Amino acid sequence: MKTNHFIKFAAVLMVCCMFFGCTPEEEIEKLGTIYGTVTDFSSGDPVANANVRLNPRGETMLTGSDGTFQFNDLPTGSYSLSFSKNGYVDLDDDYVINIDKGNSVQRSVQMQKQSSSLQIVDNNGNVIAMLDFGADEDVTQKTFNIFNNGNITLDFTITKTANWIDDVIPSEGTVAIGDTKPITVIINRASLGSGENKSTLIVTTPSAGAVEVVVKATVPFTATVVTGEVEEVTNNSAKCNGDVTDNGGVTVIEKGICFARTENPTIDDQRVSAGPGVGAFSCTLTGLTQNKTYYVRAYAINSVGTSYGLQRSFTTKSAPTVATLDVINITENSATCSGNVSSQGGSTVTERGVCYGLAPNPTINNSIVTSGTGTGSFTCELENLTKNTKYYVKAYAINSYGVAYGEEKSFTTNAFPTFQYGGYTYYVAPDPGNYMEWSAASSYCNNLSLEGMTGWKMPTRDELVQMYAERNSIGGFNTLSDSSPYSYYYSGYWSSTVSNSNNSYHYFVYFYNGSVLDNSAVTYPSKCRARVRPIKKKTN
């Protein structure tokens, strides 16, 4: 009996489950929970009163004071959450939460506070504060960019503050997060003033405040240049200073100093360049004339034109006045050169003398011979010269303002010893070193060629007597006292002068004591032998 009642109860229960479609255990399993906490991204503090939406059911709730939330009695399925609160960036959480068999799932998130920010950047992303149109008249349009580097969309407006800014395109708009908005600025150069023009564009946003962009455009003008002090003035040079303080909006292609003996010099007069660019500079003026007044101005050249600084003037100092006198007493290896200092100039002459060399225009950097100080005439002996060589010589004098030089002169050292006779200078050839009869000696003289020179001759008696008088300076004579009474004299030298009417005898000079004899004095006159020194008249 009890068995039948159990079977009946089971059958009724089965019918009920089939009718309602589930068992009591399944009804309990479908109910789940999603809970969590919302905190601030930066501080980590709980975010209270944040709106939490359960998707796709659409249920919402606010977080508690501790930032917590909880959705209960959720059937099996997939869910997601969205969060929002004033002052915070909306958050759509894409994490999928699966509810199954009545489970509980925790999902905590962090919310970022809203921050609005913008930057003005160029096309390469570099932050800029100025849009410079420069001085090129063809440049009338430029672009900058508004970059939204915040986490909310930016609305902006742009206000211009100058009438020479024709247009700003666009002048208002919206920039999405992380995007840039190009802004084109168009200017009217005809409305610009001379020189540098500046104005401001004001970029205003409701949330990020205002940012200013300076717009600059230049109308070129001549550079601004200042003439500085004149320094280090000497008898022939001076140092002049200048400064280009403004390039006029375009490149200064040349700056420097112009100068002249007349007022208001220009670059068409003499000038010394200090190169391109702006800034301070110095130029040294050279080749000036002593004791003269010069006028100078600094100058600067750009594409607009040439500008000048104020005029300054200075007077060069005075160096001594010195003259080069004739060169005398020229020998094979020496000469005498004189000079005269007629004026000391601006200060005392501390050195004077002669400078000389093998090339024209010698200076004190070549060989010198000094000869005292002060004014007046002086003489210098040039020694250890090379024979048959041309030299250039100038007198010089030094004071504190510089070195002064006299006129250049030149001379050529002798190729051979010389002597003076009858107003002429004669070269004396070397003694050949042997004794010759007169005819052989005469032939030797007439046919001699030395140092490329021909035209030698035997000296006359009177010329030979003069050679004896100058024998020490000429040198090279045999002065032995020994002689042969029969045919020759050791120290006798032939002359071309005959001593009798039939030209059979000729004079010679005995250089032992200067006696003048002829070959009749020996036993065998026709065999008489003596030495000879050929001579040649110097022509220059």
Side-chain angles (χ1 to χ4, degrees), residues 37-89:
T37 305
V38 179
T39 56
D40 185 276
F41 177 81
S42 298
S43 67
D45 295 334
V47 178
N49 297 316
N51 186 63
V52 185
R53 178 184 176 87
L54 179 66
N55 302 310
R57 290 170 65 92
E59 297 179 24
T60 61
M61 69 181 311
L62 296 177
T63 58
S65 59
D66 59 356
T68 60
F69 66 90
Q70 180 171 315
F71 291 97
N72 297 314
D73 300 328
L74 300 179
T76 298
S78 296
Y79 300 90
S80 66
L81 299 172
S82 298
F83 304 85
S84 63
K85 182 180 180 179
N86 288 339
Y88 283 85
V89 178

Coordinates of all heavy atoms in Angstrom, one line a residue, residues 37-89:
T37 N 34.8 47.2 -6.9 CA 35.1 48.5 -6.3 C 35.7 49.4 -7.4 O 36.4 49.0 -8.2 CB 36.2 48.4 -5.2 OG1 35.7 47.5 -4.2 CG2 36.5 49.8 -4.5
V38 N 35.2 50.7 -7.4 CA 35.7 51.7 -8.3 C 36.7 52.7 -7.6 O 36.3 53.2 -6.5 CB 34.6 52.5 -8.9 CG1 35.1 53.6 -9.9 CG2 33.6 51.6 -9.7
T39 N 37.9 52.8 -8.1 CA 38.9 53.7 -7.4 C 39.4 54.7 -8.4 O 39.3 54.5 -9.6 CB 40.1 52.9 -6.8 OG1 40.7 52.1 -7.9 CG2 39.6 51.9 -5.7
D40 N 40.1 55.8 -7.9 CA 40.7 56.8 -8.7 C 42.0 56.3 -9.3 O 42.8 55.8 -8.6 CB 40.9 58.1 -7.9 CG 41.4 59.2 -8.7 OD1 42.6 59.3 -8.9 OD2 40.5 60.0 -9.1
F41 N 42.2 56.5 -10.6 CA 43.4 56.0 -11.3 C 44.7 56.6 -10.7 O 45.7 56.0 -10.6 CB 43.3 56.4 -12.8 CG 44.5 56.0 -13.6 CD1 44.7 54.7 -14.0 CD2 45.5 56.9 -13.9 CE1 45.8 54.3 -14.7 CE2 46.6 56.5 -14.6 CZ 46.8 55.2 -15.0
S42 N 44.6 57.9 -10.3 CA 45.8 58.6 -9.9 C 46.1 58.4 -8.4 O 47.2 58.0 -8.0 CB 45.8 60.1 -10.2 OG 45.6 60.3 -11.6
S43 N 45.0 58.5 -7.6 CA 45.3 58.5 -6.1 C 45.0 57.1 -5.5 O 45.5 56.8 -4.4 CB 44.4 59.5 -5.4 OG 43.0 59.2 -5.6
G44 N 44.2 56.3 -6.2 CA 43.8 55.0 -5.6 C 42.7 55.1 -4.6 O 42.2 54.1 -4.0
D45 N 42.1 56.3 -4.4 CA 41.0 56.5 -3.5 C 39.7 56.0 -4.0 O 39.5 55.9 -5.3 CB 40.8 58.0 -3.1 CG 42.0 58.5 -2.4 OD1 42.7 57.8 -1.7 OD2 42.3 59.8 -2.5
P46 N 38.8 55.5 -3.2 CA 37.4 55.1 -3.7 C 36.7 56.2 -4.4 O 36.8 57.4 -4.0 CB 36.7 54.6 -2.4 CG 37.8 54.4 -1.4 CD 38.9 55.4 -1.7
V47 N 36.0 55.9 -5.4 CA 35.1 56.8 -6.1 C 33.7 56.6 -5.7 O 33.1 55.5 -6.1 CB 35.3 56.7 -7.7 CG1 34.4 57.7 -8.4 CG2 36.8 57.0 -8.0
A48 N 33.1 57.4 -4.9 CA 31.7 57.3 -4.5 C 30.8 57.9 -5.5 O 31.1 58.8 -6.3 CB 31.5 57.9 -3.1
N49 N 29.5 57.3 -5.5 CA 28.5 57.9 -6.3 C 28.8 57.8 -7.8 O 28.3 58.6 -8.6 CB 28.1 59.3 -6.0 CG 27.6 59.4 -4.5 OD1 26.8 58.6 -4.1 ND2 28.1 60.4 -3.8
A50 N 29.6 56.9 -8.2 CA 29.8 56.6 -9.6 C 28.7 55.8 -10.1 O 28.2 54.9 -9.5 CB 31.2 55.9 -9.9
N51 N 28.2 56.1 -11.3 CA 27.1 55.4 -11.9 C 27.6 54.1 -12.6 O 28.5 54.2 -13.5 CB 26.4 56.2 -12.9 CG 25.1 55.5 -13.5 OD1 24.2 55.2 -12.7 ND2 25.1 55.3 -14.8
V52 N 27.1 52.9 -12.2 CA 27.5 51.6 -12.7 C 26.4 51.0 -13.5 O 25.3 50.9 -12.9 CB 28.0 50.7 -11.6 CG1 28.6 49.4 -12.3 CG2 29.1 51.4 -10.7
R53 N 26.6 50.7 -14.8 CA 25.5 50.1 -15.6 C 25.9 48.7 -15.9 O 27.0 48.4 -16.3 CB 25.4 51.0 -16.9 CG 24.3 50.4 -17.8 CD 24.3 51.2 -19.1 NE 23.4 50.7 -20.1 CZ 22.1 51.0 -20.2 NH1 21.6 51.9 -19.3 NH2 21.3 50.4 -21.1
L54 N 24.9 47.8 -15.8 CA 25.1 46.4 -16.1 C 24.5 46.2 -17.5 O 23.3 46.4 -17.8 CB 24.4 45.5 -15.1 CG 24.5 44.0 -15.3 CD1 25.9 43.5 -15.2 CD2 23.5 43.2 -14.4
N55 N 25.4 45.8 -18.4 CA 25.0 45.5 -19.8 C 24.9 44.0 -20.0 O 25.7 43.2 -19.5 CB 26.0 46.1 -20.7 CG 26.2 47.6 -20.5 OD1 25.2 48.3 -20.5 ND2 27.4 48.0 -20.4
P56 N 23.9 43.5 -20.7 CA 22.9 44.2 -21.5 C 21.6 44.5 -20.8 O 20.7 45.0 -21.4 CB 22.7 43.3 -22.7 CG 22.8 41.9 -22.1 CD 23.9 42.0 -21.1
R57 N 21.5 44.2 -19.5 CA 20.3 44.3 -18.8 C 19.8 45.7 -18.6 O 18.6 46.0 -18.4 CB 20.4 43.6 -17.4 CG 20.5 42.0 -17.6 CD 20.8 41.4 -16.2 NE 19.8 41.6 -15.2 CZ 18.8 40.7 -15.0 NH1 18.6 39.6 -15.7 NH2 17.9 41.0 -14.1
G58 N 20.8 46.7 -18.5 CA 20.5 48.1 -18.4 C 20.3 48.5 -17.0 O 19.9 49.6 -16.7
E59 N 20.5 47.6 -16.0 CA 20.3 48.0 -14.6 C 21.5 48.9 -14.2 O 22.6 48.7 -14.7 CB 20.3 46.7 -13.7 CG 19.2 45.8 -14.0 CD 19.3 44.5 -13.1 OE1 19.9 44.6 -12.0 OE2 18.8 43.5 -13.5
T60 N 21.2 49.9 -13.4 CA 22.2 50.8 -12.9 C 22.2 50.9 -11.4 O 21.2 50.6 -10.7 CB 22.0 52.2 -13.5 OG1 20.7 52.7 -13.1 CG2 22.1 52.2 -15.0
M61 N 23.3 51.3 -10.8 CA 23.3 51.6 -9.4 C 24.5 52.5 -9.2 O 25.4 52.7 -10.0 CB 23.5 50.3 -8.6 CG 24.9 49.6 -8.8 SD 25.0 48.1 -7.9 CE 24.4 48.6 -6.2
L62 N 24.6 53.2 -8.0 CA 25.6 54.1 -7.6 C 26.6 53.4 -6.7 O 26.1 52.6 -5.8 CB 25.1 55.4 -7.0 CG 24.2 56.3 -7.9 CD1 23.7 57.5 -7.1 CD2 25.0 56.8 -9.1
T63 N 27.8 53.7 -6.8 CA 28.8 53.1 -5.8 C 28.6 53.8 -4.5 O 28.1 54.9 -4.3 CB 30.2 53.4 -6.3 OG1 30.4 54.8 -6.4 CG2 30.5 52.7 -7.6
G64 N 28.9 53.0 -3.4 CA 28.8 53.5 -2.1 C 30.0 54.4 -1.8 O 30.8 54.7 -2.6
S65 N 30.0 54.9 -0.5 CA 31.0 55.8 -0.1 C 32.4 55.2 -0.1 O 33.4 55.8 -0.2 CB 30.7 56.3 1.3 OG 30.7 55.2 2.2
D66 N 32.4 53.9 -0.1 CA 33.7 53.1 -0.2 C 34.0 52.7 -1.6 O 34.9 51.9 -1.8 CB 33.7 51.9 0.7 CG 32.6 50.9 0.4 OD1 31.7 51.3 -0.5 OD2 32.5 49.9 1.0
G67 N 33.2 53.1 -2.6 CA 33.4 52.9 -4.0 C 32.9 51.5 -4.4 O 33.1 51.1 -5.6
T68 N 32.2 50.8 -3.6 CA 31.8 49.4 -3.9 C 30.4 49.4 -4.6 O 29.6 50.3 -4.5 CB 31.7 48.5 -2.7 OG1 30.8 49.1 -1.8 CG2 33.1 48.4 -2.0
F69 N 30.2 48.3 -5.3 CA 28.9 48.1 -6.0 C 28.6 46.5 -6.0 O 29.6 45.8 -5.9 CB 28.9 48.6 -7.4 CG 29.8 48.0 -8.4 CD1 29.4 46.9 -9.1 CD2 31.1 48.4 -8.5 CE1 30.3 46.2 -10.0 CE2 32.0 47.8 -9.3 CZ 31.6 46.7 -10.1
Q70 N 27.3 46.1 -6.2 CA 27.0 44.7 -6.3 C 25.7 44.5 -7.0 O 24.7 45.1 -6.6 CB 27.0 44.1 -4.9 CG 26.7 42.6 -4.9 CD 26.9 42.0 -3.5 OE1 27.9 42.2 -2.9 NE2 25.9 41.1 -3.1
F71 N 25.7 43.7 -8.0 CA 24.4 43.3 -8.7 C 24.1 41.8 -8.3 O 25.0 40.9 -8.5 CB 24.6 43.4 -10.2 CG 24.7 44.8 -10.7 CD1 26.0 45.3 -11.0 CD2 23.6 45.6 -10.9 CE1 26.1 46.6 -11.4 CE2 23.7 46.9 -11.4 CZ 24.9 47.4 -11.6
N72 N 22.9 41.6 -7.7 CA 22.5 40.3 -7.2 C 21.5 39.6 -8.2 O 20.9 40.3 -9.0 CB 22.0 40.4 -5.8 CG 23.0 40.9 -4.8 OD1 24.2 40.5 -4.9 ND2 22.6 41.9 -4.0
D73 N 21.3 38.3 -7.9 CA 20.2 37.6 -8.5 C 20.3 37.6 -10.1 O 19.3 37.9 -10.8 CB 18.8 38.0 -8.1 CG 18.7 37.9 -6.5 OD1 19.2 36.9 -6.0 OD2 18.0 38.7 -5.9
L74 N 21.5 37.4 -10.6 CA 21.7 37.5 -12.0 C 21.6 36.1 -12.6 O 22.2 35.1 -12.1 CB 23.1 38.0 -12.3 CG 23.3 39.4 -11.8 CD1 24.8 39.9 -12.2 CD2 22.3 40.4 -12.4
P75 N 20.8 36.0 -13.7 CA 20.7 34.7 -14.3 C 21.9 34.3 -15.1 O 22.8 35.2 -15.3 CB 19.4 34.8 -15.3 CG 19.4 36.3 -15.5 CD 19.9 37.0 -14.3
T76 N 22.0 33.1 -15.5 CA 23.2 32.7 -16.3 C 23.3 33.5 -17.6 O 22.2 33.7 -18.2 CB 23.1 31.2 -16.6 OG1 23.1 30.4 -15.4 CG2 24.2 30.7 -17.5
G77 N 24.5 33.9 -17.9 CA 24.7 34.7 -19.1 C 26.0 35.5 -19.1 O 26.8 35.4 -18.2
S78 N 26.2 36.3 -20.2 CA 27.4 37.1 -20.3 C 27.1 38.6 -20.1 O 26.1 39.1 -20.6 CB 28.0 36.9 -21.7 OG 28.5 35.6 -21.9
Y79 N 27.9 39.3 -19.3 CA 27.6 40.7 -18.9 C 28.9 41.5 -19.1 O 30.0 41.0 -19.1 CB 27.1 40.7 -17.4 CG 25.9 40.0 -17.2 CD1 26.0 38.6 -16.8 CD2 24.6 40.5 -17.3 CE1 24.9 37.9 -16.5 CE2 23.5 39.8 -17.0 CZ 23.6 38.5 -16.6 OH 22.5 37.8 -16.4
S80 N 28.7 42.9 -19.2 CA 29.8 43.8 -19.1 C 29.3 45.0 -18.3 O 28.1 45.2 -18.1 CB 30.2 44.3 -20.5 OG 29.2 45.0 -21.2
L81 N 30.3 45.9 -17.9 CA 29.9 47.0 -17.1 C 30.4 48.3 -17.7 O 31.4 48.4 -18.4 CB 30.6 46.9 -15.7 CG 30.3 45.7 -14.9 CD1 31.2 45.6 -13.7 CD2 28.8 45.7 -14.4
S82 N 29.7 49.4 -17.5 CA 30.0 50.8 -17.9 C 30.0 51.7 -16.7 O 29.1 51.5 -15.8 CB 29.1 51.3 -19.0 OG 29.1 50.5 -20.1
F83 N 30.9 52.6 -16.6 CA 31.0 53.5 -15.5 C 31.0 55.0 -15.9 O 31.7 55.3 -17.0 CB 32.3 53.2 -14.7 CG 32.4 51.8 -14.3 CD1 33.0 50.8 -15.1 CD2 32.0 51.4 -13.0 CE1 33.1 49.5 -14.7 CE2 32.2 50.1 -12.6 CZ 32.7 49.1 -13.5
S84 N 30.4 55.8 -15.2 CA 30.5 57.3 -15.5 C 30.3 58.1 -14.2 O 29.7 57.6 -13.3 CB 29.4 57.6 -16.5 OG 28.1 57.4 -16.0
K85 N 30.9 59.3 -14.2 CA 30.7 60.2 -13.2 C 31.2 61.6 -13.6 O 32.2 61.6 -14.3 CB 31.5 59.8 -11.9 CG 31.2 60.8 -10.7 CD 32.0 60.3 -9.5 CE 31.7 61.4 -8.4 NZ 32.3 61.0 -7.1
N86 N 30.5 62.6 -13.2 CA 31.0 64.0 -13.6 C 32.4 64.2 -13.1 O 32.7 63.9 -11.9 CB 30.0 65.0 -13.0 CG 28.7 65.1 -13.7 OD1 28.6 64.7 -14.8 ND2 27.7 65.6 -13.0
G87 N 33.2 64.7 -14.0 CA 34.6 65.0 -13.6 C 35.6 63.8 -14.0 O 36.8 64.0 -13.8
Y88 N 35.0 62.7 -14.4 CA 35.8 61.5 -14.8 C 35.5 61.2 -16.2 O 34.4 61.5 -16.8 CB 35.4 60.4 -13.9 CG 36.1 60.5 -12.5 CD1 35.5 61.2 -11.5 CD2 37.3 59.8 -12.2 CE1 36.1 61.3 -10.2 CE2 37.9 59.9 -11.0 CZ 37.3 60.6 -10.0 OH 37.9 60.7 -8.7
V89 N 36.4 60.5 -16.8 CA 36.3 60.0 -18.2 C 35.4 58.8 -18.2 O 35.6 57.9 -17.4 CB 37.7 59.7 -18.8 CG1 37.5 59.2 -20.2 CG2 38.5 61.0 -18.8

